[in-house]
Amino acid sequence: MRDGYEADDFADKGEDREDGVFAQERTFAALPPAPGRGFAASWWGKAWLKALEDTALDLRQLKEGRRVAREGRVGAVSVRPGRITAVVSERDGSTYRSDVLLQELDGQEWDSFLGMAVERAGHIAALLDREMPPHLVEDAAAAGVDLLPGIGDLEPQCTCEAWDHCLHTAALCYQVARLLDQDPFVLLLMRGRGERRLLDELQERIAMPAGAPEDADGPEERAAEPEIAGVPAAQAFAMGGILPALPAPPELPEAPGDAPSLDTEADPEAGVDPTALEMLARDAAARAHRMLAEALAPDHEHRPVTEGLTVRQDAVRLAADARPEPWIVNRLASGSGRPRAGFPAAVAAWRYGGATALSVLDEDRALEGEVLARARTGLAEAWEEDEAPRLRAERNRWTAADGGLQLRYGPEGRWYPYRRQDGQWFPAGPADDDPAAAWAQAEGI
């Protein structure tokens, strides 16, 4: 077994190639520790780990590698066509250079992939948005191009001289799964194309006029062909991703406008409360400012339209956002149809997560089928076996054995932390995709 590594271990062996493969290299800084978190939230990251776990013969080494990655002992990760590399350290201070090799796609395979992507405008739009939807990978596979690794495709090499995946190469693979969550182009770079090169080639193909490549026909035969007016609709749609950007929108005002003052010498009309009316005016200005900010935010046009609130929900929202005087809060509590003692919990839920968090507070939902399986899987992957808290499951709620803390599974698949206070359950923080992080919120960590 080799302890340590040499400085030139990371030098590329061999001469530069004309296709610039060695120039296509990205180095990612070491990721921080991730205690209590599952690896790979994206489907392509999970597919990467499945290839690792289906290949490795020693599951104990995988578990050790996962622990090493969790502890943040995988150094900077170098990614280049056909290879990923990092230095992995153990607790005793020994370090090892670990590499994982993945077969590059050849020129014909890349040509098939690019041709397939150009024929489908949705694929081009996804790539330009730095996404890799499942149907892109499925269509590539149908064209004979396997982007994701399969069983046996991840070949390990480590200076510890293990012949199979050791804990060092396993830790590297688990860390790369986190990188793939952030940027699926990491996988394409391993297969042989960096992001810039791939997008340039896509843009060249999109911009290529129909019939531009030379064919076997002579000029007379080509002249006799009827001229095609316009371009295919899919090509025109895809061009939208590479056209010059629109002018910048106007800037958002720094703050909402001031509400009018109703402090006048004239007495208000019967039934009109000036203080409450001023609060409503301030709230309207704040909501208008927030809606404008959302409209100016990137990708706003792709976000779903928010449903309107009921009177009961809006009473809670007003108390949470406007922070009115206590006597107005009491009126809002009455308008929400809630007992006064339970209103603070509703206000806290709204501040943590709006209407969805409020529904989690109010509803006691049964989980069935895939939803229940997904929740159980999330809990199983959140902690190591010896770190998981003892929980009692009932419908969409998982309660600590001592009855003081609770996790609730929301309708959108996120976990909501709760803490027992004065005989009632009280929201303890915002929702989180990771049940371990939500549990830490409940514990007040």
Side-chain angles (χ1 to χ4, degrees):
M1 180 175 286
R2 178 180 174 192
D3 185 2
Y5 64 96
E6 301 299 332
D8 63 285
D9 279 347
F10 288 99
D12 287 316
K13 303 300 188 290
E15 298 179 356
D16 288 346
R17 289 157 54 178
E18 291 182 358
D19 58 5
V21 167
F22 293 152
Q24 295 189 98
E25 180 172 350
R26 297 177 64 187
T27 300
F28 298 86
L31 296 175
R37 292 188 62 86
F39 287 89
S42 65
W43 73 270
W44 53 81
K46 292 178 180 178
W48 169 268
L49 289 185
K50 187 177 188 303
L52 167 68
E53 293 165 356
D54 288 347
T55 298
L57 300 178
D58 190 344
L59 298 181
R60 180 180 57 85
Q61 293 283 27
L62 290 188
K63 185 174 182 180
E64 286 297 305
R66 187 167 62 246
R67 175 182 57 79
V68 167
R70 285 191 190 280
E71 294 174 356
R73 289 193 275 111
V74 178
V77 178
S78 172
V79 182
R80 55 192 182 277
R83 181 183 295 266
I84 55 175
T85 306
V87 171
V88 181
S89 60
E90 296 197 31
R91 288 177 175 174
D92 62 3
S94 57
T95 56
Y96 301 87
R97 168 180 166 145
S98 297
D99 295 78
V100 175
L101 280 59
L102 178 64
Q103 182 66 43
E104 296 179 50
L105 302 180
D106 60 29
Q108 183 176 353
E109 289 173 317
W110 276 115
D111 187 67
S112 298
F113 174 79
L114 292 169
M116 177 277 301
V118 168
E119 290 176 358
R120 295 165 174 80
H123 292 340
I124 295 178
L127 290 169
L128 292 174
D129 286 340
R130 304 175 65 82
E131 295 178 358
M132 193 185 300
H135 56 80
L136 184 150
V137 177
E138 293 167 359
D139 288 345
V145 182
D146 292 322
L147 293 178
L148 291 169
I151 297 176
D153 285 351
L154 302 179
E155 179 183 345
Q157 291 183 356
C158 186
T159 54
C160 75
E161 300 181 357
W163 63 275
D164 185 33
H165 274 288
C166 59
L167 68 91
H168 311 110
T169 57
L172 172 57
C173 286
Y174 277 107
Q175 208 72 319
V176 168
R178 295 174 67 188
L179 296 179
L180 287 171
D181 276 356
Q182 301 169 13
D183 187 354
F185 276 91
V186 170
L187 176 61
L188 297 177
L189 175 56
M190 282 188 275
R191 285 298 201 186
R193 288 289 192 277
E195 176 182 353
R196 187 66 268 157
R197 178 178 177 184
L198 178 65
L199 294 182
D200 286 347
E201 291 180 357
L202 277 175
Q203 292 173 1
E204 289 176 4
R205 291 194 176 222
I206 294 170
M208 185 181 298
E214 291 291 332
D215 51 34
D217 296 334
E220 293 182 359
E221 289 79 359
R222 289 197 299 272
E225 294 177 357
E227 182 178 351
I228 300 176
V231 296
Q235 180 177 328
F237 177 81
M239 286 289 289
I242 57 176
L243 292 174
L246 294 173
E251 293 185 3
L252 179 72
E254 293 184 1
D258 295 328
S261 174
L262 301 181
D263 184 13
T264 65
E265 296 181 0
D267 293 333
E269 295 287 336
V272 175
D273 189 319
T275 303
L277 197 56
E278 287 180 359
M279 182 207 71
L280 292 174
R282 288 193 300 271
D283 176 70
R287 292 180 65 190
H289 186 267
R290 183 168 60 250
M291 292 171 65
L292 179 59
E294 293 172 354
L296 295 176
D299 205 38
H300 171 72
E301 65 275 15
H302 299 300
R303 298 177 184 176
V305 177
T306 304
E307 294 184 5
L309 301 179
T310 65
V311 173
R312 294 164 62 96
Q313 290 172 325
D314 203 43
V316 178
R317 182 198 64 79
L318 275 169
D321 292 350
R323 302 177 186 270
E325 296 181 13
W327 67 270
I328 297 181
V329 172
N330 292 336
R331 290 180 59 181
L332 291 172
S334 177
S336 72
R338 300 172 183 274
R340 187 174 301 177
F343 196 61
V347 171
W350 187 277
R351 288 175 179 163
Y352 284 131
T356 303
L358 187 61
S359 71
V360 172
L361 171 71
D362 292 338
E363 298 172 3
D364 182 10
R365 299 181 301 110
L367 303 182
E368 299 176 353
E370 293 184 4
V371 176
L372 179 59
R374 195 158 49 243
R376 287 175 172 171
T377 299
L379 286 168
E381 294 178 348
W383 293 276
E384 297 292 346
E385 293 180 4
D386 55 349
E387 297 176 351
R390 293 178 56 198
L391 300 175
R392 182 181 71 256
E394 184 176 2
R395 299 168 73 82
N396 70 324
R397 304 177 182 189
W398 277 261
T399 308
D402 63 5
L405 303 177
Q406 187 180 86
L407 289 178
R408 300 187 181 186
Y409 194 66
E412 83 289 30
R414 307 190 76 202
W415 296 92
Y416 290 76
Y418 274 75
R419 188 181 302 121
R420 194 80 171 172
Q421 293 182 201
D422 299 327
Q424 66 173 325
W425 287 108
F426 203 88
D432 200 290
D433 294 326
D434 178 18
W439 190 258
Q441 289 273 4
E443 292 180 317
I445 298 177

